[in-house]
Amino acid sequence: MKILILDFGSQYTQLIARNIRELNVYCEIQPCNKPIQYDADLKGVILSGSPCSVNDADAPSPDIAAMAAHLPVLAVCYGAQLLAKQAGGEVGKSAHREYGRAHLQDIGHDPLFVDVPQGTQVWMSHSDTIKKLPEGFKLIARTDSIPVAAFKASDAYAKHAVYAIQFHPEVTHTTDGRQILKNFLIDICGCKQDWTPAAFIQETVARIKAQTGGKKVVMALSGGVDSTVAATLIHKAIGDNLYCIFVDNGLLRKGEFEQVLEGYKHLGLNTKGVDARKTFYKELEGVSDPETKRKIIGRLFIEVFHDEALQLKDVSFLGQGTIYPDVVESMSVHGGPSQTIKSHHNVGGLPEIMHLSLIEPLRLLFKDEVRRVGRELGIDDVFIGRHPFPGPGLGIRILGAVSEEKVKLLQEADAIYIQHLRDSGWYHKIWQAGAILLPVQSVGVMGDERTYEFTCALRAVTSVDGMTADWVHLPYDLLAKISSDIINQVRGINRVVYDISSKPPATIEWE
């Protein structure tokens, strides 16, 4: 069974899905302009917020009454205003923008608000407001400044229950938002909380077996959590009919190629390591432009992987570690799903070049769910707890032209940095960390010797999904130790700086 979330373009849509998944109920997001496929598994529909106004000429406006003829509906923010307008109510600009914390008053005795106390804090984010409810609709909550904060459609409106809330239950600032969602999912829609990592694994393995029919699958591995978990699921379904390729592009972290191959051996994955360092270094020589470097690295990866994959016979499928945020990012409220997921996918274009069908066992999971599945599969934390690492690797952490010498410098500095984070217990408190080699040399003094060497920047951020990030307030004494060890142990670096920029306006990576 599942819940469908119709996306009207809200920045919070993925948060709705994450909250529902964390209640162990399966859900999917689809653009609001895509027709709903009603089947026995679908138990309810949630309408998201939107940057649009329902009074805009081109505002998305699917028929809510038609949905409610099939299933219960929960309309959030824009969805609530759309429901009110479609049913004959009045929506207009509020006297002032309603944004931030508010407290629900006069909460009615209703299944949606079971175990939700009077005065509970909610989060508002809208500029329109509902000025008049449709005929027969029932007000079930208000705030001090908003007369219509939550309401319920009349029995005459539709066969199933239809609720509308002007606030956002999916954000942490709404204190009892999870309880409200649970009430809708369990008590109103009749969902069961049985969507667990173990259940996902069982269903996915069975689906892969049926999809492949005993045919061979080839897959590129990166050492990261997504590709590792995806490969383990495919391997669980088809065993040694999965052929994995791990390419060393010369831009990995220190010792990573050997460590990852050893880890895959313990997982039982049939993996071939390919040393392509010289090929990448040669093509990157003298290239400073970040986008050009990315394109060269991506193109070479495809060429190397393609050449290796062609040595295999009778391969019918290409495995990928695509995850749900990749899929959701390709959706458009007005244009529908796009034709590509991400332009920087390492294997972009390969399915067409090699005439292969795709297998993407994780395409419906968020990153934290991938980790939960990985732990359920028994995958070592060296893979599951690994920080995100960019596809172009150290190629975009060396500002300016890349050379083998600079790679070695950065690998040494980065290894010292990451080891200190692990030893101090900070590694697992951080979303992503890494060292960056700057194209800046400065004067230094070591003993009686004058040096003129490179500067290394350290980056560490906290984040949920990488869309926004804040810099980590590492202790000064830890930073001092890291800086001292890098300068003393890495000949060629005589200055270390720490990046205290957040995203936005900066990005996590420097290039």
Side-chain angles (χ1 to χ4, degrees):
M1 55 183 62
K2 68 181 179 183
I3 294 291
L4 184 65
I5 303 168
L6 291 192
D7 180 24
F8 290 84
S10 170
Q11 61 179 320
Y12 297 138
T13 302
Q14 287 195 38
L15 287 181
I16 301 175
R18 293 175 71 90
N19 273 273
I20 293 173
R21 298 276 187 91
E22 287 171 9
L23 286 164
N24 293 329
V25 174
Y26 180 65
C27 66
E28 291 182 8
I29 300 170
Q30 76 173 42
C32 60
N33 59 353
K34 182 179 178 181
I36 298 173
Q37 300 297 316
Y38 297 101
D39 56 42
D41 289 334
L42 188 58
K43 299 298 180 184
V45 178
I46 296 178
L47 313 181
S48 82
S50 175
C52 304
S53 165
V54 296
N55 294 318
D56 291 344
D58 59 348
S61 185
D63 189 339
I64 300 175
M67 300 176 205
H70 295 273
L71 300 161
V73 175
L74 174 63
V76 176
C77 197
Y78 176 91
Q81 296 167 4
L82 182 62
L83 170 62
K85 182 178 180 180
Q86 286 186 356
E90 182 183 347
V91 178
K93 291 291 180 186
S94 57
H96 52 84
R97 180 171 169 79
E98 295 164 343
Y99 183 85
R101 294 172 177 83
H103 296 87
L104 292 187
Q105 308 295 335
D106 298 337
I107 297 175
H109 295 287
D110 192 277
L112 189 66
F113 288 130
V114 169
D115 294 329
V116 177
Q118 295 287 342
T120 186
Q121 177 179 287
V122 297
W123 184 261
M124 298 288 184
S125 180
H126 55 272
S127 54
D128 284 349
T129 194
I130 297 165
K131 297 190 171 183
K132 180 183 176 184
L133 279 177
E135 182 91 24
F137 280 36
K138 181 183 178 183
L139 179 70
I140 55 175
R142 65 173 183 84
T143 71
D144 286 338
S145 60
I146 303 171
V148 180
F151 61 94
K152 183 178 181 180
S154 64
D155 293 339
Y157 178 75
K159 178 180 177 182
H160 294 275
V162 181
Y163 287 93
I165 50 179
Q166 187 60 81
F167 55 89
H168 289 271
E170 66 273 22
V171 301
T172 55
H173 303 302
T174 297
T175 311
D176 294 287
R178 182 71 65 86
Q179 182 63 47
I180 293 170
L181 288 173
K182 182 180 178 182
N183 291 340
F184 177 72
L185 301 172
I186 310 306
D187 298 333
I188 296 168
C189 296
C191 292
K192 294 179 180 178
Q193 293 174 280
D194 57 3
W195 196 71
T196 63
F200 171 82
I201 291 168
Q202 184 178 0
E203 293 169 6
T204 302
V205 168
R207 186 168 62 250
I208 294 170
K209 284 181 179 178
Q211 183 180 357
T212 57
K215 295 179 181 177
K216 294 177 182 177
V217 179
V218 66
M219 184 169 184
L221 298 182
S222 68
V225 59
D226 299 338
S227 67
T228 302
V229 173
T232 305
L233 281 167
I234 297 172
H235 181 258
K236 194 174 178 67
I238 65 173
D240 286 343
N241 271 344
L242 170 66
Y243 294 83
C244 301
I245 298 171
F246 179 42
V247 177
D248 184 356
N249 58 10
L251 304 168
L252 303 175
R253 283 176 155 150
K254 182 182 178 181
E256 188 172 21
F257 185 59
E258 296 77 16
Q259 292 165 9
V260 169
L261 282 177
E262 186 63 26
Y264 285 145
K265 188 185 297 183
H266 287 301
L267 286 173
L269 296 178
N270 181 16
T271 307
K272 180 179 181 181
V274 180
D275 184 352
R277 290 176 295 176
K278 297 299 182 184
T279 301
F280 282 81
Y281 290 152
K282 183 178 179 181
E283 292 247 6
L284 288 169
E285 186 177 355
V287 178
S288 298
D289 178 69
E291 189 60 25
T292 304
K293 287 195 292 185
R294 284 178 176 271
K295 288 179 178 177
I296 289 172
I297 295 166
R299 173 178 57 79
L300 287 178
F301 180 89
I302 289 174
E303 290 175 2
V304 171
F305 180 82
H306 182 235
D307 289 346
E308 292 295 329
L310 285 179
Q311 297 178 31
L312 303 170
K313 296 187 177 181
D314 302 321
V315 174
S316 302
F317 296 90
L318 175 69
Q320 280 194 180
T322 309
I323 64 174
Y324 205 35
D326 300 335
V327 178
V328 173
E329 284 169 10
S330 73
M331 294 178 179
S332 165
V333 172
H334 295 289
S338 67
Q339 293 182 341
T340 60
I341 302 297
K342 282 187 175 180
S343 62
H344 58 267
H345 250 335
N346 282 339
V347 291
L350 274 174
E352 292 79 16
I353 295 171
M354 301 179 67
H355 306 290
L356 300 177
S357 300
L358 272 177
I359 293 181
E360 299 172 302
L362 307 179
R363 65 179 283 109
L364 296 176
L365 297 188
F366 291 102
K367 176 72 81 172
D368 53 340
E369 293 172 324
V370 175
R371 288 196 168 99
R372 287 172 60 197
V373 168
R375 291 190 175 98
E376 183 73 24
L377 286 165
I379 299 174
D380 192 277
D381 198 60
V382 70
F383 292 114
I384 300 305
R386 185 174 185 253
H387 286 178
F389 190 63
L394 300 182
I396 58 169
R397 291 185 179 177
I398 296 172
L399 272 60
V402 174
S403 68
E404 187 172 359
E405 293 71 29
K406 287 183 179 179
V407 170
K408 289 178 180 177
L409 270 183
L410 185 54
Q411 284 177 332
E412 293 295 333
D414 182 79
I416 291 169
Y417 180 31
I418 297 301
Q419 191 59 51
H420 269 291
L421 293 179
R422 291 188 183 280
D423 292 344
S424 62
W426 274 92
Y427 185 84
H428 292 295
K429 301 176 186 177
I430 293 170
W431 163 267
Q432 187 170 335
I436 301 99
L437 188 67
L438 306 186
V440 175
Q441 290 178 283
S442 62
V443 174
V445 178
M446 299 186 75
D448 294 326
E449 182 184 349
R450 176 185 183 274
T451 62
Y452 190 63
E453 296 175 338
F454 287 103
T455 299
C456 173
L458 306 179
R459 184 76 159 133
V461 298
T462 55
S463 181
V464 174
D465 52 17
M467 301 301 291
T468 61
D470 197 9
W471 62 279
V472 178
H473 294 239
L474 290 176
Y476 288 158
D477 59 345
L478 176 58
L479 287 171
K481 290 177 186 175
I482 296 168
S483 174
S484 177
D485 282 357
I486 290 175
I487 292 170
N488 285 320
Q489 297 176 32
V490 185
R491 189 172 183 85
I493 294 175
N494 68 356
R495 193 176 298 271
V496 174
V497 297
Y498 189 56
D499 184 349
I500 58 170
S501 310
S502 295
K503 177 187 179 181
T507 53
I508 295 176
E509 299 294 343
W510 281 41
E511 287 193 341

